[in-house]
């Protein structure tokens, strides 16, 4: 799942490569294209994008938003969820499997949307308020103060890892970076929010910001303009089951399966009831 660091770097690349370009053709590739596309504007998905100039590329939480210079305004809000990816490719470049949307740009490149499991969504809309899961989003990790972070945590009573991944608490953090942030904060992922002391909440807040800021830089270096990649080798614990903890050398523990795995170091992240073990 692309999370804040990947999406932020993708936004930067689109800002450089796609903004100011005209979409000379837009194609929803069947059978997946019509499934991931949602035309909330009733504008006709492909027809409305054809000829439109890309005015800006923004990120909010786990959404990327392309705005077009059209009258009335038109936005494409992309929520890649677990399996969606974007790709910038030459027009003649072989199409990867599960490519569902192709925007032909006037510089000969294509912006493509790929999605192995059709979990993501592409919303064409006049207003972001109409986009599901968008308007209820909490603040960005870099925009929230420690005070507001504490305040926003209060209503949540469950395990801290689950809380961190709730978009209505803070936007942009998913399963992978929640593991990384908790490792940096030395907090066990299954500690209950109600058990966290004030100093631990502050540690969590600082770890959230430093972990995500570092990750943006690393992703930027490794991804470059290959925005379909998801560089994560540099992570400390997520997907590192059995490897030595970079801080203390203890083999990294694993709980859960598939997309919902949790990795942590049981030495430097003590406590918590370990479910599933
Ligand atoms: Zn450790």
């Amino acid at each position: 799942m692309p999370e804040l660091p990947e999406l932020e770097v993708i936004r930067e690349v689109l800002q450089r490569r796609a903004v100011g370009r005209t979409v000379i053709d837009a194609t929803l590739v069947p059978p997946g294209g019509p499934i991931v596309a949602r035309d909330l504007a009733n504008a006709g998905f492909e027809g409305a994008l054809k000829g439109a100039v890309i005015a800006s590329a923004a990120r909010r939480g786990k959404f990327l938003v392309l705005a077009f210079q059209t009258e009335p305004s038109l936005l494409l809000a992309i929520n890649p969820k677990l399996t969606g990816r974007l790709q910038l490719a030459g027009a003649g470049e072989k199409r990867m499997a599960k490519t569902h949307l192709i925007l032909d740009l006037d510089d000969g490149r294509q912006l493509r949307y790929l999605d192995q499991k059709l979990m993501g969504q592409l919303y064409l809309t006049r207003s972001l308020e109409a986009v599901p899961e968008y308007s209820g989003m909490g603040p960005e990790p870099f925009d929230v103060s420690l005070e507001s972070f504490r305040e926003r945590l209060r209503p949540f009573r469950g395990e801290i890892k689950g809380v961190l991944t709730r978009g209505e608490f803070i936007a942009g953090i998913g399963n992978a970076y929640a593991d990384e942030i908790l490792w940096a904060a030395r907090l066990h992922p299954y500690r209950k929010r109600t058990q966290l002391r004030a100093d631990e909440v502050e540690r969590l807040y600082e770890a959230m910001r430093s972990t995500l800021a570092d990750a943006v830089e690393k992703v930027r270096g490794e991804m470059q303009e290959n925005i379909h990649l998801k560089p994560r080798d540099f992570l400390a614990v997520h997907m590192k089951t059995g490897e030595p903890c970079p801080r203390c050398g203890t083999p990294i523990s694993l709980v859960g399966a598939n997309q919902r795995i949790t990795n942590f170091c049981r030495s430097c992240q003590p406590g918590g009831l370990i479910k599933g073990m």
Side-chain angles (χ1 to χ4, degrees), residues 6-268:
E6 293 96 8
L7 291 169
E8 187 54 32
V9 175
I10 293 170
R11 182 199 64 77
E12 293 172 0
V13 173
L14 295 180
Q15 185 68 40
R16 277 198 306 276
R17 297 293 176 200
V19 170
R21 305 253 69 104
T22 302
V23 176
I24 53 175
D25 207 0
T27 313
L28 286 170
V29 184
I35 296 172
V36 293
R38 303 269 196 284
D39 182 7
L40 305 178
N42 285 318
F45 204 100
E46 294 162 310
L49 291 175
K50 194 173 170 175
V53 176
I54 301 174
S56 67
R59 179 196 61 78
R60 174 82 173 94
K62 294 180 205 158
F63 283 82
L64 278 170
V65 181
L66 294 178
F68 298 91
Q69 278 172 27
T70 52
E71 196 50 58
S73 67
L74 199 60
L75 303 156
L76 181 63
I78 302 167
N79 183 4
K81 296 274 181 84
L82 282 172
T83 53
R85 291 179 186 212
L86 288 162
Q87 183 193 15
L88 266 178
E93 209 170 305
K94 191 172 183 301
R95 204 181 286 174
M96 290 168 82
K98 311 288 182 186
T99 296
H100 307 300
L101 172 70
I102 299 172
L103 300 181
D104 283 280
L105 306 180
D106 62 353
D107 65 349
R109 290 179 194 237
Q110 291 182 336
L111 178 60
R112 302 174 182 171
Y113 177 78
L114 301 77
D115 197 332
Q116 285 300 323
K117 299 212 165 129
L118 299 173
M119 291 173 93
Q121 266 121 33
L122 309 170
Y123 298 99
L124 190 68
T125 185
R126 305 260 182 231
S127 155
L128 292 169
E129 310 255 294
V131 175
E133 295 175 51
Y134 193 96
S135 54
M137 251 189 293
E140 293 289 321
F142 299 123
D143 294 344
V144 70
S145 66
L146 172 59
E147 208 158 87
S148 162
F149 184 81
R150 281 191 201 286
E151 200 58 37
R152 299 188 65 83
L153 258 183
R154 230 160 255 152
F156 298 94
R157 310 192 64 80
E159 293 157 348
I160 190 59
K161 176 171 177 182
V163 176
L164 267 184
T165 60
R166 298 276 292 267
E168 66 269 36
F169 167 54
I170 296 278
I173 300 170
N175 199 38
Y177 282 98
D179 282 359
E180 295 296 297
I181 290 164
L182 290 164
W183 177 81
R186 303 182 186 227
L187 293 173
H188 192 290
Y190 298 139
R191 295 272 303 279
K192 292 270 200 276
R193 193 283 299 163
T194 47
Q195 299 168 339
L196 296 185
R197 299 185 311 262
D199 63 307
E200 291 176 322
V201 171
E202 183 167 354
R203 233 156 66 203
L204 179 63
Y205 173 78
E206 296 299 340
M208 169 184 78
R209 292 160 69 98
S210 61
T211 300
L212 294 173
D214 287 353
V216 169
E217 279 195 31
K218 287 179 177 132
V219 170
R220 189 186 287 131
E222 294 195 20
M223 184 188 275
Q224 301 192 21
E225 297 203 339
N226 299 306
I227 58 175
H228 57 290
L229 301 181
K230 194 164 67 170
R232 287 191 166 172
D233 285 350
F234 60 84
L235 298 185
V237 290
H238 189 73
M239 299 297 281
K240 304 281 184 182
T241 308
E243 291 183 33
C245 165
R247 198 159 42 208
C248 75
T250 303
I252 299 297
S253 299
L254 165 72
V255 177
N258 302 324
Q259 309 276 15
R260 298 308 309 175
I261 69 161
T262 291
N263 286 117
F264 64 100
C265 173
R266 62 177 186 274
S267 296
C268 30

